[in-house]
Amino acid sequence: MLRQQDVGHRIVVRRVVGIRAGRPLFSDALGELVELDETHLTLATGQGRLRVPLDEVHRAKRVPPARRPTASTVVELELASDEAWPAAVRGRLGDWLLRAAAGWSGRANSALPVGDPDRPLPAALDAVESWYADLGQRAMVNTPLPLAAPVGAELDARGWDARPLVLVQTVPLAAVPPAPPVAGEVPPVELAGTPSEDWLAVAAGRKGGLPDAARHVLTAVERVRFAQVYADGRLLAMGRGTVTGPDRWLGLSLIEVVPEARRRGLAGQVVRALVEWGRAEGATRAFLQVEQRNTAAVGLYRSLGFTTHHTYLTRVAPH
């Protein structure tokens, strides 16, 4: 049988769905185990979220992870993410993207090496270093894995550092579960087309300031909403949603709850409100980026059905 250690892993479940001619009828389901309690298990499947009573389970076991994503799906998602977090200063090196935003956030200040840079790899990285040097910035490269593994190997040889591993996670919007019942009054989630000053203040505290380039990153998207939860005139929780890319990905970022309001389900409320907005905008899938070491956030997103599509490392040039 399954154990709590299996939560977060891919499993297959065979369950009894009926009886015919005195024999049980079985149905199989494959997905990520997102919850296991004394009476039920819950799977995030490709068709949505599935809750199965344990007394219906005939057999269940962990299976190997899904195949690695194709290069085209990684590129599609990385480009949708770039559009959702637009750097104020941009350049190109063949297909590679060069991005700068006064040093605010790694994503907006790193080269994105997807596609062909129109020159050999060592020369491409030399050009990246020169581009950032001209801006007076330390060069950084965002390496989606496994797609950009050759770039990472070349950066290793050059002695570049690596920031903590980031998980790029996705979920079909149809698989996001409804909010669980809570006791007491729940403050509503407000969605706005521009961020409030309170919202910007919390973002500045999280990201270490808010230069003009940061405001461009946050607001220079055609479809964007800023979520906020207030109680007694004070901002308790916030988040940002965008819809970008040809396939209309819902991008989630800056999901934040002030310390004294945590463990009340507010982050889940913010995500669900942005999911509903994304659906209205034609999105069918969501993505977010979270550091692997942020176990609290990873656990929250797992409970909402998110699974890891691919990972990336932000590489930083030596001084």
Side-chain angles (χ1 to χ4, degrees), residues 8-24:
H9 292 272
R10 195 163 176 255
I11 66 167
V12 62
V13 176
R14 172 161 288 187
R15 59 186 177 128
V16 179
V17 294
I19 301 291
R20 179 181 295 168
R23 294 186 175 184

Side-chain angles (χ1 to χ4, degrees), residues 25 36 43 55 57 64 81-82 92 103 111 128 131 138 165 202 211-212 233 246 288 291 294:
L25 299 175
L36 178 65
L43 285 174
D55 58 11
V57 176
S81 176
D82 171 71
R92 295 197 75 97
V128 168
W131 192 82
R138 192 176 178 189
L165 184 71
V202 174
D212 288 342
L288 55 81
E291 286 190 2
N294 188 348

Side-chain angles (χ1 to χ4, degrees), residues 84-85 189-196 199 217-228 238-244 249-255 270-271 273-281:
W85 199 254
V189 180
E190 304 170 9
L191 298 182
T194 56
S196 68
W199 196 104
V217 170
L218 293 172
T219 62
V221 182
E222 181 180 352
R223 298 184 185 93
V224 62
R225 286 296 182 272
F226 298 88
Q228 49 195 17
M238 57 177 270
R240 175 178 175 270
T242 57
V243 173
T244 58
W249 281 93
L250 170 66
L252 300 173
S253 59
L254 291 171
I255 308 299
V270 167
V271 170
L274 290 170
V275 163
E276 289 304 312
W277 170 75
R279 284 177 177 150
E281 291 291 322

Side-chain angles (χ1 to χ4, degrees), residues 10 14 38-39 42 54 61 83 86 125 138 144 191 196 207 216 230 240 251 276 281 293 316:
R10 195 163 176 255
R14 172 161 288 187
E38 294 180 355
T39 61
T42 304
L54 292 183
K61 65 178 181 179
E83 187 181 340
L125 292 175
R138 192 176 178 189
L191 298 182
S196 68
K207 291 288 188 179
H216 177 93
Y230 278 91
R240 175 178 175 270
E276 289 304 312
E281 291 291 322
R293 65 182 181 177
V316 184

Side-chain angles (χ1 to χ4, degrees), residues 34-50:
V34 296
E35 188 177 0
L36 178 65
D37 59 31
E38 294 180 355
T39 61
H40 289 77
L41 63 83
T42 304
L43 285 174
T45 76
Q47 291 72 47
R49 197 174 175 92
L50 177 66

Side-chain angles (χ1 to χ4, degrees), residues 162-167 290-299:
R163 290 184 174 179
L165 184 71
V166 173
L167 311 179
V290 58
E291 286 190 2
Q292 184 183 44
R293 65 182 181 177
N294 188 348
T295 55
V298 171

